Amino acid sequence: MPLSETVLILAGLLAVAIVSAGLFRKVPIPYTVLLVIIGMVLGESSQVSPALAPLEEFRLSPDLVFFIFLPALIFEAGFNLDARQLVKELAPVLVLAVPALVISTVVVGVGLSFLGLELIIALVFGALISATDPVAVIALFKELGAPHRLTVLVEGESLLNDATAIVVFGILLAVAVGGGELSWSDADAMVIEFVRVFIGGALVGALLGLFASELLYRLHSGVTAVLTMSVVIAYGSFILAEHTLHVSGVMAGAAAAIALAGFGMTRLRHEASDAAREIWEVITLICNSLLFLLVGLSVQVTELVGAIGPAAIAMTLILAARAAAVYGLVPMTTRLFSLPHVSSSERHIMWWGGLKGGLAIAIVLSIPEDLPGRQLLLEMTLLIVLFTLLVNAPTIRPLMSRLQLDRLTDDERVELRHALQSARQHAGEVLERFRTSGLISEKAHTEVNRTGEETFTMEVIEGEGEQRIRDLYLAAMLALRKELEELTTLYNTGVIPQHVYLDMRNELHRERGAQLSPDRQAQTKMIEEQSIVLRLETALIKSLREKNWAARLLSAYQNIRLAEHLERDTAHILVCESVLKMLGQHEDLHSGARWTLAAAYEARLAHHRKRVEEIRREFPDFYRRFESRLASQATLTSAMRHARHGLHHGEVGTKVYNIIERRITSSLTKLAPLSRPLPAITPKELSKTTPLLEGLPERALQNLANHAQTATYLPGDTIIGQHEKGDAFYIITHGDVSVFRSSGGEEVQIGELGTGDFIGETSLLYYQARSHERSATLKARTPITLLRIRHQDILKLMKKHPEIRRRMQDVHSARTRPTRYRR
């Protein structure tokens, strides 16, 4: 068929799809199911109508699905997936995607083997038919506002399930084509191959996604470049992994999409991110429309009658295997990993919503034609796909209604009431403007006002106390929304870097999840859970703090942390002020709820102001550099955004914009980095801050200062831990430290140290031991600066300077660890 005719027919099919969607909008059938029905009608008509005869050449093929449709659909699903929620639900998603699919493969394969199919052929069919394609279900979830967690579970399972199905199918098909038989001796090789293909695909996609993210960011790419690169990554990652590296293309496409969305889009301009999401919605619409029309065109109903019996048995086995996974493995997994309970209603939907689609057809079409039983497998696949699309999909809506998953929760009713009040207020302002302008009469004003009352009035059935509780929830949700909005503004204006923005945003999402969770224990766990960034940071410091070789590295890293914590505290202050201002403007909320929430934010504001003040007091030079850089970065970045906005709306020309951009970029590059190391301490400062060293000769102090390394610690940081190994000697030059000792599993505070105190196991000064077990835990109570001197350096200084040796002998005779030198 000439290319021109192919393009014309494809355009016609798309037009049919879009027009049908508009005409049958009110029909309670999912869009994709409607397309399958239309495709079937067109396929049957093409056999009797010469005008439609060219459609007979349009059938699904494996290459068409694997290298045209699937990369786009997988990439869009990963790009728009809530990665944070997916990570939280990763355990049940992986259980559904891997063990559940293997169980389904075995159940279906063994069951069909009793019908006369060879076991390996039946297992091949079990693998390909276990791939889910819940496009219709996800679309319905979005339309009806299904629980967000349910959407992530179903979509996440589908994303990983497709990859697992393709990998397992490939392994089993290779055995079938080779004429071999399955045996337990092959199990280990199959598992290794599965892990290689599955994990390898994820790594390839993640690396490509991260590379593209960094490239787009470094090149300051515009909307066009971002859109083009996203298409390149979608198809490039899939085909490179699947065709060249022979790993999972599905996993590569999904990982690349998640990496690009999480680490690339967040650093680019909002218009680029929004445009990318919109264009991928269009690409997905085109792919789904053509895919499901081609599914319908590929089905010849009259040829499938003979396979109805085996297909019915296979469908029964599929539903039984899925029931075992959804009702057995999912609850077990949530209990094992202490995750929130998945309700029985949600599990009913997950069970019945395991639809099959174009991927299963493409996989079965890829089976070599000379494989025994291929025709039966094809016919059963087509019948099962039709059953799930024509029976399961249309009944999801009434099932959700029966299970009350489409009902408003109490919290959603509160949100609805507030939204109606806001809409009513806005409508009243517009109506009042018409009346004061003399455009409508008083009679018309009264009638329209009465209509508005009927439209926006909502019955309130709760009492005053219940209303206050609901208003408190609503106020908290509005505050979290305002925090997210303000955080985005702070990131866009350069006040906080990307990693701080992402971490703080995840904290807010965790708080929102706690607010929405009906499980109070889960709420507490979500709120108290420490972010992964802070957990990794704590583990890194613990592993390095007593290592002599890592002293300089830790010192540099602590300076970076000091700058980052200042950025976080500054962001918290600005966010709290923004929320307090918003609460003051929402007079429609219950006054008690507003007061309660405002008090919480005022306390949080005071806490972060105190932390900033402590750093300002303890590190004045550093803070001066910080506030100067912060103000410069924010003003210059805001000016850049303003200039870009003017260019976009035609207020300034390209030449003018380029000059402004060069000047601002030049100024930004000249800003000094905040992570610059603190200046080395002078002998005079050393003698002044440390009574132990007061009065020592200048030369001895200079040698001591040369061997000392400056380190900073933030409030709550552990400087040394009880029972840890180490031999360093510390001198506190700024700040206060609390001393704890473990007793009976509990930490008991036994003292405090301050400026001028030293920390160290003094008996080590007389022995060549390389390490010693610390006798107490020391934690920073305020921001502190320490001088760290290695044990061997102290020994050298004692030999070189008798004055230092005599001072250390005085310390040793005091027999206190840690101790203060007293004259």
Side-chain angles (χ1 to χ4, degrees):
M1 179 181 293
L3 180 61
S4 58
E5 292 185 16
T6 302
V7 173
L8 180 62
I9 292 175
L10 289 176
L13 289 175
L14 280 176
V16 168
I18 299 303
V19 171
S20 301
L23 293 176
F24 298 99
R25 184 180 295 116
K26 295 184 179 180
V27 177
I29 298 177
Y31 173 66
T32 52
V33 177
L34 178 66
L35 293 180
V36 172
I37 296 173
I38 293 173
M40 293 171 63
V41 172
L42 289 175
E44 294 295 330
S45 302
S46 66
Q47 299 180 7
V48 297
S49 173
L52 298 177
L55 289 177
E56 293 186 18
E57 299 184 32
F58 280 77
R59 297 291 185 269
L60 276 182
S61 68
D63 288 345
L64 185 63
V65 173
F66 282 124
F67 299 115
I68 300 297
F69 294 140
L70 196 57
L73 296 176
I74 291 296
F75 185 86
E76 189 274 339
F79 195 70
N80 289 314
L81 189 64
D82 186 345
R84 180 195 60 84
Q85 185 67 29
L86 176 63
V87 170
K88 290 172 61 177
E89 307 297 342
L90 192 59
V93 166
L94 282 175
V95 165
L96 288 170
V98 183
L101 185 134
V102 173
I103 291 173
S104 177
T105 299
V106 173
V107 169
V108 174
V110 172
L112 290 180
S113 67
F114 289 106
L115 298 180
L117 271 178
E118 188 180 346
L119 177 60
I120 184 62
I121 303 298
L123 288 173
V124 167
F125 176 76
L128 72 89
I129 204 62
S130 297
T132 60
D133 187 8
V135 174
V137 176
I138 296 299
L140 195 61
F141 283 176
K142 293 177 180 178
E143 178 186 340
L144 299 179
H148 180 60
R149 187 188 185 203
L150 177 61
T151 303
V152 171
L153 285 172
V154 173
E155 199 164 15
E157 177 207 354
S158 173
L159 202 60
L160 302 184
N161 172 285
D162 290 349
T164 307
I166 294 172
V167 174
V168 174
F169 167 81
I171 294 173
L172 294 174
L173 182 63
V175 176
V177 172
E181 294 184 358
L182 286 177
S183 64
W184 287 109
S185 60
D186 300 326
D188 55 347
M190 290 183 178
V191 170
I192 293 172
E193 177 64 10
F194 173 81
V195 172
R196 183 192 72 81
V197 175
F198 194 85
I199 303 299
L203 290 176
V204 169
L207 289 174
L208 287 174
L210 292 173
F211 173 76
S213 300
E214 193 64 24
L215 186 65
L216 291 171
Y217 174 70
R218 296 293 179 185
L219 296 178
H220 304 286
S221 302
V223 175
T224 306
V226 172
L227 297 180
T228 305
M229 182 58 75
S230 67
V231 175
V232 170
I233 290 298
Y235 284 92
S237 61
F238 189 97
I239 295 173
L240 177 66
E242 190 77 31
H243 186 68
T244 305
L245 301 177
H246 304 294
V247 292
S248 174
V250 174
M251 287 303 301
I258 293 173
L260 186 61
F263 297 95
M265 294 298 112
T266 52
R267 292 193 288 176
L268 301 175
R269 301 200 304 268
H270 275 293
E271 52 266 29
S273 177
D274 294 340
R277 297 185 189 281
E278 289 175 5
I279 198 65
W280 275 104
E281 286 183 7
V282 174
I283 293 174
T284 303
L285 175 64
I286 293 173
C287 289
N288 272 325
S289 299
L290 291 176
L291 176 61
F292 283 95
L293 279 172
L294 290 174
V295 168
L297 287 170
S298 301
V299 174
Q300 301 296 327
V301 180
T302 55
E303 300 177 1
L304 304 179
V305 176
I308 290 179
I313 294 174
M315 189 68 212
T316 303
L317 293 171
I318 291 169
L319 290 175
R322 185 158 183 82
V326 171
Y327 296 108
L329 293 180
V330 171
M332 183 180 68
T333 305
T334 54
R335 285 195 298 270
L336 182 63
F337 290 91
S338 301
L339 297 173
H341 175 66
V342 180
S343 69
S344 58
S345 297
E346 292 173 332
R347 278 179 280 157
H348 295 335
I349 296 297
M350 292 171 65
W351 171 67
W352 192 245
L355 309 184
K356 316 300 176 184
L359 180 60
I361 298 175
I363 295 177
V364 76
L365 287 173
S366 69
I367 297 177
E369 295 188 2
D370 58 350
L371 189 73
R374 179 184 184 275
Q375 186 60 31
L376 177 60
L377 300 189
L378 175 60
E379 292 172 357
M380 286 195 299
T381 301
L382 291 172
L383 282 171
I384 290 172
V385 169
L386 283 179
F387 179 86
T388 60
L389 291 177
L390 300 181
V391 177
N392 290 48
T395 53
I396 288 290
R397 183 191 295 267
L399 180 60
M400 289 183 65
S401 179
R402 180 67 180 270
L403 296 173
Q404 299 185 3
L405 287 174
D406 58 345
R407 303 280 181 88
L408 290 175
T409 64
D410 292 339
D411 295 329
E412 288 171 335
R413 286 181 59 83
V414 174
E415 190 174 354
L416 173 62
R417 178 164 58 82
H418 179 266
L420 287 174
Q421 290 175 349
S422 179
R424 176 182 177 182
Q425 180 180 356
H426 179 72
E429 292 172 356
V430 174
L431 181 61
E432 184 62 22
R433 183 181 179 187
F434 274 88
R435 188 184 69 81
T436 55
S437 301
L439 297 176
I440 60 173
S441 63
E442 288 293 335
K443 181 178 180 181
H445 177 270
T446 303
E447 292 177 356
V448 175
N449 196 42
R450 187 183 305 114
T451 302
E453 291 282 348
E454 295 172 358
T455 303
F456 300 116
T457 299
M458 178 178 175
E459 180 183 1
V460 180
I461 57 176
E462 58 224 0
E464 179 69 20
E466 186 70 16
Q467 179 181 342
R468 181 181 180 279
I469 294 174
R470 297 301 176 193
D471 273 3
L472 181 59
Y473 161 82
L474 177 61
M477 297 308 295
L478 290 173
L480 288 175
R481 192 179 304 165
K482 185 65 177 178
E483 285 195 60
L484 284 170
E485 178 185 320
E486 185 67 18
L487 265 183
T488 304
T489 301
L490 294 176
Y491 169 62
N492 288 334
T493 52
V495 175
I496 52 176
Q498 185 202 23
H499 68 281
V500 173
Y501 165 68
L502 292 176
D503 193 43
M504 293 183 69
R505 189 182 67 173
N506 286 339
E507 289 178 12
L508 290 177
H509 280 304
R510 191 163 57 247
E511 289 184 28
R512 178 178 174 83
Q515 291 283 350
L516 294 175
S517 174
D519 187 345
R520 297 301 169 189
Q521 186 176 1
Q523 284 186 11
T524 304
K525 183 179 178 181
M526 289 182 201
I527 293 173
E528 293 179 350
E529 181 185 357
Q530 192 182 36
S531 76
I532 188 170
V533 174
L534 295 180
R535 292 201 300 270
L536 290 173
E537 184 179 82
T538 302
L540 177 64
I541 294 173
K542 181 178 179 180
S543 64
L544 295 180
R545 62 188 175 215
E546 290 283 15
K547 304 291 190 301
N548 289 326
W549 60 266
R552 293 186 182 278
L553 177 64
L554 182 61
S555 178
Y557 180 64
Q558 289 288 51
N559 287 319
I560 295 174
R561 287 185 68 229
L562 181 62
E564 181 184 306
H565 278 249
L566 260 179
E567 291 166 344
R568 286 176 180 271
D569 287 327
T570 302
H572 277 295
I573 290 171
L574 295 174
V575 163
C576 289
E577 289 178 342
S578 179
V579 171
L580 288 170
K581 182 179 179 181
M582 181 272 297
L583 290 174
Q585 296 170 347
H586 268 283
E587 297 182 358
D588 53 323
L589 293 174
H590 192 283
S591 58
R594 282 196 299 154
W595 182 89
T596 301
L597 196 62
Y601 273 93
E602 286 171 354
R604 180 173 150 192
L605 177 64
H607 169 72
H608 289 288
R609 285 192 183 280
K610 179 182 177 182
R611 284 167 49 124
V612 170
E613 185 57 37
E614 286 177 345
I615 295 178
R616 188 206 305 263
R617 183 178 63 251
E618 298 295 342
F619 310 107
D621 293 337
F622 180 87
Y623 188 82
R624 277 194 293 271
R625 283 193 288 126
F626 171 80
E627 62 182 0
S628 176
R629 180 184 172 86
L630 176 69
S632 300
Q633 178 106 1
T635 53
L636 290 172
T637 307
S638 297
M640 178 77 84
R641 287 175 58 82
H642 179 74
R644 191 179 295 125
H645 181 273
L647 175 67
H648 182 70
H649 290 83
E651 297 172 3
V652 296
T654 304
K655 291 181 180 180
V656 173
Y657 171 76
N658 288 337
I659 294 173
I660 295 174
E661 183 184 36
R662 282 196 299 270
R663 291 190 176 189
I664 293 176
T665 303
S666 175
S667 298
L668 284 171
T669 55
K670 293 177 182 177
L671 296 178
L674 288 175
S675 56
R676 188 171 65 192
L678 294 174
I681 192 166
T682 65
K684 186 176 180 181
E685 291 172 329
L686 195 59
S687 175
K688 182 179 179 181
T689 59
T690 313
L692 169 67
L693 308 175
E694 189 176 343
L696 287 177
E698 181 79 12
R699 183 165 165 266
L701 288 172
Q702 184 62 61
N703 280 328
L704 196 60
N706 291 340
H707 286 86
Q709 295 170 331
T710 305
T712 58
Y713 285 86
L714 298 169
D717 285 353
T718 299
I719 304 165
I720 61 174
Q722 187 174 350
H723 306 307
E724 292 180 0
K725 301 291 185 179
D727 62 5
F729 185 81
Y730 298 91
I731 300 173
I732 303 174
T733 57
H734 290 94
D736 299 318
V737 172
S738 298
V739 184
F740 297 89
R741 184 166 290 160
S742 296
S743 176
E746 295 183 0
E747 277 192 344
V748 179
Q749 184 171 348
I750 60 173
E752 292 184 353
L753 299 173
T755 301
D757 290 341
F758 64 87
I759 305 164
E761 304 294 342
T762 56
S763 61
L764 286 177
L765 302 177
Y766 301 96
Y767 300 98
Q768 293 297 325
R770 299 182 64 86
S771 63
H772 192 80
E773 187 175 284
R774 301 296 192 177
S775 60
T777 297
L778 278 76
K779 294 183 179 180
R781 192 166 62 85
T782 65
I784 66 169
T785 305
L786 296 172
L787 289 182
R788 186 181 191 276
I789 309 175
R790 296 183 303 172
H791 168 238
Q792 54 265 42
D793 291 334
I794 286 286
L795 291 176
K796 292 177 183 177
L797 290 170
M798 288 171 59
K799 292 178 180 178
K800 190 173 183 179
H801 300 283
E803 301 90 348
I804 296 179
R805 184 178 184 86
R806 284 194 294 272
R807 292 293 173 89
M808 292 303 176
Q809 287 173 340
D810 292 343
V811 171
H812 178 62
S813 64
R815 298 185 183 279
T816 55
R817 306 172 187 166
T819 185
R820 175 191 297 272
Y821 175 77
R822 295 178 178 83
R823 288 169 293 182

